[in-house]
Amino acid sequence: MCYASPIKQAVTSYFTDINEDSCRCYDLTGTDFDFLLKELIYGHPVVIWVLIDYVIPKYKEKSWGSYHTPSHTVLLTGINYMKGIVYINDPLIGEIEVDYKLVKEIYNIRGKKCLVIK
């Protein structure tokens, strides 16, 4: 399981390695879901933490702490407000449409973890 900070470091390192000066990776964890959707309007990729199969999170307890399972990270690619859906690039499934309210609820429960490239 990997959260925003190490991925941000990896993306930043990658941009440095390829001499990419026009893009930066931002850890916007805690940001309101609707604000993130506005980032899409500007063409900024938005990575969020959800769960596989887009189910309501369940906690698992371990000796080292608790976590949600089954954790999953996806790329938001768009929204259709009229239909109430968000478009997601899911590395396990491909391009899919998921109910806006469901994704927003899972995002909030998961701690509003996200990254934005701009």
Side-chain angles (χ1 to χ4, degrees):
M1 186 169 5
C2 187
Y3 289 127
S5 183
I7 293 175
K8 178 185 178 234
Q9 290 173 356
V11 171
T12 300
S13 178
Y14 173 73
F15 285 157
T16 299
D17 290 349
I18 65 168
N19 296 316
E20 175 57 62
D21 295 330
S22 64
C23 292
R24 298 276 187 274
C25 182
Y26 297 90
D27 180 350
L28 296 183
T29 295
T31 299
D32 183 73
F33 188 73
D34 292 318
F35 177 83
L36 293 179
L37 297 176
K38 291 177 184 176
E39 290 288 338
L40 296 174
I41 294 169
Y42 297 107
H44 302 149
V46 177
V47 176
I48 62 170
W49 276 253
V50 292
L51 293 178
I52 293 174
D53 296 329
Y54 304 90
V55 296
I56 300 301
K58 296 180 182 174
Y59 274 109
K60 292 277 185 163
E61 296 289 335
K62 295 289 182 186
S63 60
W64 46 265
S66 62
Y67 65 97
H68 293 107
T69 185
S71 185
H72 192 41
T73 309
V74 298
L75 181 70
L76 288 174
T77 59
I79 183 164
N80 184 322
Y81 288 103
M82 298 291 286
K83 290 184 177 181
I85 58 171
V86 291
Y87 300 99
I88 292 177
N89 186 333
D90 185 318
L92 297 176
I93 303 169
E95 291 286 333
I96 60 171
E97 299 174 0
V98 184
D99 181 77
Y100 159 83
K101 289 180 182 177
L102 175 63
V103 174
K104 183 176 180 176
E105 181 178 5
I106 295 168
Y107 170 79
N108 288 337
I109 292 171
R110 295 289 328 267
K112 298 181 179 182
K113 293 175 181 62
C114 64
L115 293 172
V116 176
I117 307 291
K118 32 181 169 177

